[in-house]
Amino acid sequence: MKLIVRWMLLAAALLLVANLYGGVEVKSFGTALIAALVIGLFNALLRPILVLLTLPVTLLTVGLFLFVINAAMFYAAASVLGDFNVTGFGAALIGSLIYSLCSMVIDVAMERMFPDR
């Protein structure tokens, strides 16, 4: 149940990103659900590999390069899906920042809604 609620909230967050920032476009809530799933899969499967491969650059930039990796995952998800569009890498960077902030708020809310025993 917790996973489904989090998925729905992340899809709503993606719609919020599209409404707040013009560089990100999501056609419908169904598209947002699929996009949230794809972003989650990319973050779970590809992001750890990219973080490991770019560790020297990440250390050199004191962790700021992780924002670029997040933007790359956001942009890659938009490239795979037809109804989820990002106008460019700069838009992906801003969109991923807003989406990450929403995700942090959702995680805090989920901890309060579904406390671990």
Side-chain angles (χ1 to χ4, degrees):
M1 181 69 169
K2 184 178 177 180
L3 183 67
I4 294 172
V5 171
R6 186 173 189 278
W7 181 35
M8 296 281 189
L9 289 173
L10 286 173
L14 199 55
L15 286 174
L16 178 68
V17 170
N19 284 327
L20 289 177
Y21 183 63
V24 177
E25 181 184 335
V26 180
K27 299 281 185 199
S28 66
F29 186 70
T31 301
L33 281 171
I34 294 169
L37 179 67
V38 171
I39 291 170
L41 286 174
F42 282 0
N43 282 335
L45 300 174
L46 297 177
R47 188 174 188 275
I49 296 167
L50 288 175
V51 169
L52 187 62
L53 290 174
T54 61
L55 190 59
V57 177
T58 303
L59 291 174
L60 203 65
T61 61
V62 195
L64 292 176
F65 194 73
L66 292 175
F67 290 120
V68 174
I69 293 174
N70 285 343
M73 296 297 99
F74 200 78
Y75 192 70
S79 298
V80 170
L81 300 171
D83 292 336
F84 172 44
N85 298 314
V86 177
T87 57
F89 194 78
L93 182 63
I94 293 170
S96 70
L97 286 172
I98 298 170
Y99 186 70
S100 295
L101 288 173
C102 291
S103 178
M104 288 185 339
V105 171
I106 289 169
D107 287 340
V108 169
M110 292 296 292
E111 284 300 316
R112 293 183 185 215
M113 285 174 48
F114 299 102
D116 292 332
R117 295 174 197 162

